[in-house]
Amino acid sequence: VVGTAVAFMTLGMILTLLRIWARRLQAKSFMIGDVLVPATLVLLWALCIVAIYVVQICGFGHHTHHIITHYGDTLHTNNVLVYYVLPCLHYVSVALPRLTILNLYLSFLRQNWARHCCYALGVLVIVGTLINLSVTVFQCWPIGSIWGPGRPPLWCMNLQIHLQWGNFANIFIDTVILALPVPMVLRLSIPTREKVALLFTLSIASIGFAAGIIRFAIIIRQPTPCTDWPAHDHLWQLIDVTMCSIVETGMVLMAVCLITLRPLLK
């Protein structure tokens, strides 16, 4: 987890700076992505710093009984950071690059139906993010019971089901985003070489899509956490999901930066 966090903090910073440089070379008008990409980098760093903190200070990565024995009263700190803070940071940080890509599409798509699709997908991304945040906050009742010592929750929802379907919805949205510009690019009156180059540039966004699929595959293998809280060894089972959240966020940020670096290559 720590190695993954440090690697993507570094790569994210480098590629974000390269994107800023490329945008300055293009000398084009302001785009929403010029704000959303640095904001994604900030969220990625926050996600990674929290992940490093729970590993180094709170013992995340060990079995739950080991944390209780050797890390004092950090179990509830682990719970609030792993179950609340990390997911919220992840949901927002993967939504912003998707909105950046849709904003990029709007800069060159001229067909009304394609532009309407971009706006509709943007609404789906925003609504989906708000739903994920709401479910994360209200996953157990009372809300503060999961981090309040000696206050077990009255009930907790099946969080794994939400993670599965939420991630599946993101994969569907990513598929539509990747496929949307292809018909328009193929119809452009430009040389075939330029069409291939443009399609290749847009296809770079698929690396974030691949990371989402990997995260989905890991989630469906996990035992259901939280339903028998706190007896479940949940902090051990969520290691892979946490690491994949960092990877997905980092790769989506990398993808949205890479598709704008053609001026630097030239």
Side-chain angles (χ1 to χ4, degrees):
V1 172
V2 173
T4 301
V6 172
F8 278 101
M9 288 170 72
T10 305
L11 289 172
M13 173 66 78
I14 292 172
L15 285 171
T16 300
L17 293 175
L18 289 176
R19 183 188 186 278
I20 294 172
W21 185 14
R23 288 287 295 157
R24 289 178 64 86
L25 291 177
Q26 285 179 313
K28 291 187 176 181
S29 59
F30 172 80
M31 296 180 66
I32 295 177
D34 296 334
V35 174
L36 296 184
V37 171
T40 304
L41 176 65
V42 172
L43 291 171
L44 172 63
W45 271 62
L47 179 70
C48 292
I49 289 172
V50 172
I52 293 172
Y53 177 84
V54 292
V55 170
Q56 301 284 34
I57 305 300
C58 302
F60 180 61
H62 294 286
H63 289 285
T64 305
H65 65 81
H66 180 91
I67 295 174
I68 295 173
T69 303
H70 297 280
Y71 288 87
D73 298 327
T74 64
L75 178 62
H76 297 284
T77 303
N78 268 299
N79 286 333
V80 68
L81 293 179
V82 173
Y83 274 99
Y84 285 82
V85 177
L86 288 177
C88 288
L89 289 172
H90 171 257
Y91 290 137
V92 178
S93 61
V94 295
L96 298 186
R98 291 186 175 101
L99 295 175
T100 301
I101 293 175
L102 291 172
N103 179 244
L104 176 65
Y105 287 176
L106 289 172
S107 67
F108 68 86
L109 293 178
R110 294 294 176 261
Q111 294 84 349
N112 286 332
W113 70 267
R115 296 180 67 84
H116 291 329
C117 283
C118 287
Y119 288 121
L121 288 170
V123 171
L124 286 177
V125 170
I126 294 172
V127 171
T129 302
L130 293 176
I131 292 174
N132 286 330
L133 292 174
S134 299
V135 171
T136 300
V137 172
F138 296 101
Q139 60 183 277
C140 286
W141 187 262
I143 297 176
S145 59
I146 200 168
W147 66 77
R151 297 175 55 200
L154 299 177
W155 61 267
C156 289
M157 67 177 62
N158 190 328
L159 192 60
Q160 187 187 24
I161 298 298
H162 167 71
L163 290 173
Q164 290 176 5
W165 284 103
N167 215 81
F168 181 79
N170 288 338
I171 291 173
F172 172 77
I173 292 173
D174 287 343
T175 303
V176 178
I177 290 176
L178 289 173
L180 181 60
V182 173
M184 275 67 71
V185 172
L186 294 177
R187 293 174 187 169
L188 291 175
S189 300
I190 58 177
T192 302
R193 180 179 177 181
E194 293 186 19
K195 287 184 182 180
V196 173
L198 184 55
L199 288 173
F200 174 75
T201 301
L202 295 175
S203 69
I204 293 174
S206 64
I207 64 175
F209 172 65
I213 294 177
I214 294 171
R215 184 172 181 270
F216 176 72
I218 289 177
I219 287 173
I220 63 177
R221 293 185 317 170
Q222 298 296 317
T224 303
C226 239
T227 52
D228 55 350
W229 187 96
H232 224 58
D233 196 6
H234 50 286
L235 293 176
W236 174 261
Q237 295 158 0
L238 290 175
I239 297 172
D240 290 340
V241 175
T242 300
M243 191 156 54
C244 280
S245 297
I246 296 172
V247 172
E248 183 181 10
T249 301
M251 291 183 70
V252 171
L253 174 61
M254 291 167 57
V256 81
C257 290
L258 287 171
I259 61 179
T260 61
L261 298 187
R262 285 190 67 185
L264 296 184
L265 296 177
K266 291 181 180 181

